Amino acid sequence: MPNKIKTVRRPTSVVTGAAGFLGSHLTDLLLARGHRVIGIDNFITGSVDNIAHLAGNRNFKFIQQDVTEFLFLNEPVNYVWHFASPASPVDYLEFPIQTLKVGSLGTHKALGLAKEKGARFLIASTSEIYGDPLVHPQTEEYWGNVNTIGPRGCYDEAKRFAEAMTMAYHREHKVATRIVRIFNTYGPRMRLHDGRVVPAFISQALTNKPITVFGDGKQTRSFCYVSDLIEGIYRLMMSNYSLPVNIGNPVELTMVQFAEAIIKATKSRSKIMFKPLPQDDPKQRKPDITKARKLLKWEPKVKLADGLAKAINYFHGKV
Ligand code: UDP
């Protein structure tokens, strides 16, 4: 008698923004956990370099498409992860309309795909929905303080719309949805010139150029290493919780402290140079992660010094 052939069913995940910083790390994790991944990206801020190592992987398929256009897939889908969006303040200043469109029309298309396929859906939302927060640290119950017409409004409002649309599909169409609010994240595959503070400070430090701290540098952020973040997001998708969950690292630093940490980690001769603060730059940001701890049994593990060493190593080859 011939041996019985054991068929192992692989879940299929669709990742929008698969060539981006977070989308590509998520894709790697899903492949490692036995998923088949269909990645979609239009490369406006994503890069083919982030997925080049997947060429020839039979469990990965790539579609170059703008996700604001109708998404047609002629196969079953189990999970939709909507990560496509410009995400750095410099990028969304350059692409304000695409940013609004991918958060609104793109979320609608991605939700429509999930509904059609009976798939579970997760939206990559953001701490930016809290705006310049008046509650600190930020809990998921806080509604935010956003300037709708300011330079960051295109991103903040697109993501707020995306959350509202996600809840509407959940309530109206009973789609199983998840909302993650992502706080500042760093690691390999960030773009050197995306304008965000981590690549900016590291590239300046590695070349012994002045570190450009905006404003008086007393504004705070809390930085999560990418592997911690992606693990938290994966756990959220696999949970049964449909309200928003903050995922981020609660260790809070001023931008001057952060500049000093990077100077030390790179053994740089750079000095701090103060530059004007961009409009509506949030004064403080730190996630309250009580929910993630309780519901997902998740908390960040990678210490800033260890994460920075990995990020610095990546940027070494790029500057
Ligand atoms: N920042 C800075 N120097 C830079 C880039 C950014 O001091 O060269 C500051 C920025 O003003 C903000 C913080 O670093 O207070 C984080 O900025 P980023 O653009 O990384 O993201 P944000 O958290 O503002 O979305």
Side-chain angles (χ1 to χ4, degrees):
M1 225 174 98
N3 282 340
K4 253 197 180 161
I5 296 167
K6 211 171 137 205
T7 47
V8 183
R9 209 179 76 81
R10 273 181 190 274
T12 296
S13 275
V14 169
V15 177
T16 75
F21 166 46
L22 297 182
S24 66
H25 283 286
L26 172 64
T27 297
D28 286 346
L29 179 115
L30 292 172
L31 289 168
R33 300 219 167 142
H35 288 228
R36 204 177 148 254
V37 177
I38 303 172
I40 306 178
D41 208 298
N42 66 353
F43 295 123
I44 73 163
T45 55
S47 163
V48 76
D49 295 347
N50 293 338
I51 49 170
H53 61 287
L54 301 176
N57 184 327
R58 55 199 256 290
N59 292 316
F60 180 67
K61 175 167 142 187
F62 183 74
I63 301 171
Q64 185 170 350
Q65 194 193 313
D66 181 336
V67 295
T68 65
E69 309 286 341
F70 187 80
L71 297 170
F72 175 77
L73 292 173
N74 193 16
E75 56 201 299
V77 173
N78 306 98
Y79 301 97
V80 176
W81 313 71
H82 185 36
F83 276 66
S85 178
S88 130
V90 169
D91 287 338
Y92 44 79
L93 278 177
E94 191 180 350
F95 305 110
I97 296 170
Q98 285 99 323
T99 302
L100 278 157
K101 282 176 71 181
V102 75
S104 55
L105 307 179
T107 302
H108 184 218
K109 292 288 184 288
L111 277 162
L113 177 71
K115 172 171 164 261
E116 164 71 22
K117 301 290 182 185
R120 206 177 268 194
F121 174 89
L122 181 143
I123 177 71
S125 185
T126 167
S127 55
E128 277 287 320
I129 68 108
Y130 300 121
D132 190 4
L134 304 176
V135 166
H136 193 74
Q138 292 77 55
T139 59
E140 290 87 348
E141 284 69 36
Y142 178 49
W143 290 354
N145 176 38
V146 170
N147 176 6
T148 57
I149 57 168
R152 303 170 82 108
C154 59
Y155 185 64
D156 304 12
E157 291 303 329
K159 292 292 189 181
R160 291 171 70 94
F161 177 95
E163 289 197 7
M165 188 60 126
T166 300
M167 288 311 293
Y169 265 64
H170 178 66
R171 294 190 179 114
E172 184 72 18
H173 295 309
K174 312 290 176 228
V175 175
T177 56
R178 309 286 179 260
I179 298 174
V180 59
R181 293 189 180 145
I182 298 172
F183 283 66
N184 292 66
T185 305
Y186 70 101
R189 302 187 193 156
M190 291 185 99
R191 274 155 45 237
L192 192 59
H193 299 295
D194 83 352
R196 280 189 280 197
V197 69
V198 175
F201 283 6
I202 293 180
S203 61
Q204 290 160 349
L206 286 176
T207 51
N208 295 307
K209 295 205 176 106
I211 307 275
T212 55
V213 170
F214 297 163
D216 59 8
K218 293 198 179 113
Q219 71 273 33
T220 66
R221 294 293 186 275
S222 310
F223 296 97
C224 188
Y225 189 68
V226 62
S227 59
D228 277 338
L229 184 100
I230 299 295
E231 177 64 36
I233 292 173
Y234 179 83
R235 288 191 193 188
L236 176 61
M237 178 66 114
M238 299 307 157
S239 79
N240 58 10
Y241 191 73
S242 54
L243 295 176
V245 177
N246 290 336
I247 298 283
N249 190 319
V251 176
E252 185 183 11
L253 293 171
T254 68
M255 288 311 97
V256 166
Q257 288 170 330
F258 191 52
E260 284 162 353
I262 287 184
I263 291 172
K264 190 173 155 207
T266 50
K267 302 190 176 67
S268 171
R269 295 191 305 278
S270 294
K271 298 274 173 286
I272 289 175
M273 176 169 86
F274 291 95
K275 296 257 237 171
L277 189 68
Q279 191 192 331
D280 297 338
D281 197 290
K283 284 182 264 317
Q284 49 182 3
R285 186 183 286 158
K286 164 182 165 149
D288 180 316
I289 59 164
T290 310
K291 273 213 170 76
R293 278 199 173 107
K294 241 195 232 145
L295 295 167
L296 313 176
K297 310 266 175 292
W298 174 88
E299 63 183 355
K301 299 224 164 3
V302 180
K303 294 205 168 51
L304 185 70
D306 298 335
L308 278 183
K310 289 185 190 167
I312 289 163
N313 190 35
Y314 172 80
F315 284 117
H316 243 302
K318 309 267 167 198
V319 290

